[in-house]
């Protein structure tokens, strides 16, 4: 059974600092997703990582995927308050036509002035 | 472009009352559809998914049911709500790469 572990679960950081969120998963998968959720809101797609070594960047966020290590990272560069949110990674479990996501518990990020 | 609509946005229902949440997708055909629940703002639990009309897979035993009467319509129902049914319900669709989520329904059972 596919399991997804995120760490840390809670992260408080100062503006301008860098930090990395880690996402480990237990079995092979061909797709990994990162989502952002603001309080009381739905999920916003950040990145879709499809292959080993994939790296994607959007603004101060950069995501990477190492399928051999079953590890994805979400790196935050020079954090700003607007990045405060909960970040989820999710891994596609594909069983024939029944593709579904297995989720990490999320990382609650607070960026403080 | 594809869009997903979910309603209502908030709902307060008494224990024992019925529930019907609706989700519709536009701009695509034969999507995979999903219902998730999120409790206490953390973690998403997959409740149901559907790969086609009338095809529903249930992930966890519970007080809820789902139906897909049309290709782009997914309905979450309950005959009698429990307090434990409170939470944030999210509908999502997928076809190929990526999943797109609806805006969510916050259900409070009182």
């Amino acid at each position: 059974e596919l399991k997804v572990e995120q760490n840390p679960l809670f992260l408080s950081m100062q503006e301008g600092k860098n930090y990395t969120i880690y996402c480990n998963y237990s079995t092979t998968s061909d797709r990994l997703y990162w989502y952002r959720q603001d309080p009381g809101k739905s999920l916003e797609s950040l990145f879709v990582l499809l292959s080993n070594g994939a790296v994607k960047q959007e603004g101060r966020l950069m995501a990477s995927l190492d399928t051999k290590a079953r590890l994805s990272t979400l790196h935050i560069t020079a954090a700003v308050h607007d990045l405060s949110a909960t970040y989820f990674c999710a891994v596609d479990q594909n069983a024939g036509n029944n593709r579904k996501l297995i989720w990490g518990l999320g990382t609650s990020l607070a960026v403080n002035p | 472009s594809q869009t997903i609509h979910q309603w209502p946005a908030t709902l307060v229902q008494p224990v024992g009352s019925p529930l019907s949440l609706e989700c519709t997708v536009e701009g695509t055909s034969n999507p995979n559809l999903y219902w998730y629940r999120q409790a206490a703002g953390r973690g998403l639990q997959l409740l149901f998914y559907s790969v086609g009309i009338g095809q529903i897979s249930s992930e966890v035993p519970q007080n809820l049911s789902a139906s897909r009467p049309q290709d782009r319509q997914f309905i979450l129902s309950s005959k009698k709500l429990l307090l434990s049914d409170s939470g944030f319900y999210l509908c999502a669709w997928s076809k190929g790469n990526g999943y797109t989520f609806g805006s969510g329904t916050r259900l409070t059972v009182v």
Side-chain angles (χ1 to χ4, degrees):
Chain A
E1 180 184 342
L2 177 59
K3 294 184 179 179
V4 179
E5 292 186 357
Q6 257 180 267
N7 71 85
L9 297 182
F10 298 92
L11 177 57
S12 180
M13 56 190 300
Q14 283 187 312
E15 283 190 326
K17 299 293 186 181
N18 304 332
Y19 208 84
T20 301
I21 299 170
Y22 297 88
C23 176
N24 291 90
Y25 54 100
S26 59
T27 63
T28 57
S29 174
D30 57 357
R31 296 177 191 182
L32 188 141
Y33 304 84
W34 284 97
Y35 286 89
R36 169 182 172 147
Q37 187 179 35
D38 291 296
K41 302 294 184 181
S42 186
L43 292 150
E44 173 191 354
S45 178
L46 295 175
F47 301 107
V48 181
L49 302 171
L50 300 176
S51 60
N52 187 42
V55 177
K56 292 193 175 181
Q57 184 166 3
E58 181 73 32
R60 301 175 187 273
L61 300 177
M62 183 174 69
S64 66
L65 177 63
D66 181 343
T67 58
K68 293 180 181 178
R70 296 176 188 165
L71 170 69
S72 179
T73 60
L74 181 66
H75 187 72
I76 304 158
T77 302
V80 293
H81 180 69
D82 286 351
L83 289 180
S84 297
T86 299
Y87 293 85
F88 290 93
C89 69
V91 178
D92 236 342
Q93 179 174 286
N94 186 13
N97 194 31
N98 298 334
R99 189 177 281 276
K100 54 185 178 180
L101 288 175
I102 307 301
W103 293 84
L105 292 179
T107 297
S108 290
L109 171 65
V111 180
N112 306 306
Chain B
S1 63
Q2 301 91 357
T3 56
I4 180 168
H5 302 280
Q6 189 180 340
W7 67 92
T10 57
L11 194 57
V12 180
Q13 292 283 101
V15 169
S17 65
L19 173 74
S20 181
L21 302 181
E22 189 162 345
C23 173
T24 59
V25 180
E26 296 178 358
T28 187
S29 60
N30 198 29
N32 287 356
L33 296 172
Y34 306 83
W35 276 112
Y36 286 90
R37 177 170 59 203
Q38 187 177 37
R42 301 281 302 183
L44 286 97
Q45 179 186 35
L46 178 62
L47 302 176
F48 301 96
Y49 67 94
S50 170
V51 299
I53 296 174
Q55 300 179 61
I56 308 294
S57 296
S58 174
E59 286 295 296
V60 293
Q62 58 208 322
N63 186 42
L64 302 168
S65 62
S67 63
R68 185 170 177 174
Q70 300 180 48
D71 180 46
R72 289 169 289 178
Q73 183 185 29
F74 205 21
I75 298 171
L76 183 69
S77 304
S78 174
K79 292 182 179 178
K80 290 185 178 181
L81 284 168
L82 306 172
L83 287 174
S84 58
D85 291 324
S86 294
F88 190 46
Y89 289 82
L90 287 159
C91 177
W93 76 272
S94 176
K95 190 173 181 181
N97 294 340
Y99 294 74
T100 302
F101 287 82
S103 54
T105 297
R106 181 146 325 267
L107 171 66
T108 304
V109 182
V110 297

